[in-house]
Amino acid sequence: MKKILLVIVTLFALSNTNAQTAIFHNLLQNNVTKDGIVDYKSLKQDPTELNSYISYLEKTTPDNSWSKNKQKAFWINAYNAYTLKLILDNYPLKSITDIKENGLIAWKIPFAKVGGKTYTLDHIEHTILRKQFSDPKIHVGVNCASGSCPKLGNKAFTEKNVEAELTHLMKVFVNDTSRNKITENNIQISSIFDWFKEDFIKNGTIIDFLNKYSETKINPEVKISYLKYDWSLNGK
């Protein structure tokens, strides 16, 4: 009987997770363009789907019984959902950098509730995602709601799609000429590759990493320079 109850509970939890992820996926499909531009005005007018997903996050604790991909997808979705919520709570605004609360910048405000605990966006990104999963592609999954940030994908991450979607988003980001300017012998790249350099050089140089995704093969001896970051809001 206990085994049957455990199976029922597990199936219910799985069903609920899939249903809630579908809600977030639908929100992204309807409010984020293929270029990652967010319709914050519409989301502000009708936050029903976002509030439903946030409610799910507040009550859900990922654990070690979940696969690594499921945990990774969950935490990236959580980061992006709470970033959307933070923007909407302060909308209209020109930049996420305009948000301050008790002297704290956006990423250091403790407001993101997951499984009964309260986190900052920094904690989710740096302590959970970067440390636990050691995957540099995470940097194109989490979205800082800004012009130079890798574009926000209009799909929710799932256990099944997270690796393929992160790989796709990294290819798009590296080859996006508004975010990285790459030729064989001259590159000006996103400051993300400077700020989080340690994540990108675990298996080689920055050039080695870029060449995995770049449509233009870069000379290994090329001099690297970094582009100024655009913090303007990624909205219409």
Side-chain angles (χ1 to χ4, degrees), residues 149-161:
C149 194
K151 73 174 188 177
L152 175 62
N154 62 356
K155 296 179 181 179
F157 293 100
T158 67
E159 180 179 19
K160 291 182 178 180
N161 78 11

Side-chain angles (χ1 to χ4, degrees), residues 19 35 37 49 86 88 91 105 114 143-144 166 169 183 205 207:
D35 295 318
I37 304 302
E49 288 181 321
L86 186 64
L88 295 180
Y91 192 80
I105 62 173
V114 178
N143 187 269
C144 66
L166 289 177
L169 289 171
T183 65
T205 65
I207 302 302

Side-chain angles (χ1 to χ4, degrees), residues 32-47:
V32 181
T33 71
K34 64 179 179 62
D35 295 318
I37 304 302
V38 183
D39 189 349
Y40 289 109
K41 185 176 180 180
S42 291
L43 281 172
K44 181 79 172 181
Q45 291 173 343
D46 184 8

Side-chain angles (χ1 to χ4, degrees), residues 69-221:
N69 279 353
K70 184 175 180 179
Q71 292 179 55
K72 186 192 296 187
F74 175 91
W75 283 111
I76 296 175
N77 287 337
Y79 184 100
N80 290 337
Y82 274 114
T83 299
L84 290 173
K85 177 173 172 52
L86 186 64
I87 297 297
L88 295 180
D89 287 347
N90 292 275
Y91 192 80
L93 76 167
K94 293 183 178 179
S95 170
I96 191 172
T97 60
D98 295 336
I99 298 173
K100 302 286 192 301
E101 187 174 303
N102 298 321
L104 299 173
I105 62 173
W107 297 277
K108 297 188 181 297
I109 299 169
F111 78 102
K113 297 178 181 177
V114 178
K117 295 183 179 180
T118 302
Y119 300 89
T120 64
L121 292 175
D122 264 0
H123 185 92
I124 293 174
E125 180 179 5
H126 304 305
T127 302
I128 297 175
L129 282 167
R130 290 178 65 209
K131 285 189 177 180
Q132 293 185 17
F133 300 98
S134 190
D135 179 359
K137 298 192 301 300
I138 281 166
H139 293 291
V140 295
V142 297
N143 187 269
C144 66
S146 303
S148 285
C149 194
K151 73 174 188 177
L152 175 62
N154 62 356
K155 296 179 181 179
F157 293 100
T158 67
E159 180 179 19
K160 291 182 178 180
N161 78 11
V162 64
E163 282 303 309
E165 283 302 313
L166 289 177
T167 298
H168 168 71
L169 289 171
M170 183 60 77
K171 287 179 180 177
V172 170
F173 176 60
V174 168
N175 293 288
D176 183 343
T177 55
S178 68
R179 293 173 169 92
N180 296 283
K181 301 182 186 302
I182 294 175
T183 65
E184 182 181 354
N185 295 304
N186 183 29
I187 65 169
Q188 295 174 285
I189 56 177
S190 170
S191 292
I192 286 173
F193 293 109
D194 185 26
W195 298 335
F196 305 109
K197 184 177 180 179
E198 63 189 271
D199 294 356
F200 297 103
I201 62 171
K202 289 179 179 178
N203 297 303
T205 65
I206 289 286
I207 302 302
D208 291 334
F209 182 86
L210 292 171
N211 271 332
K212 288 172 60 179
Y213 303 96
S214 176
E215 293 170 357
T216 300
K217 291 308 171 187
I218 308 162
N219 184 332
E221 305 301 321

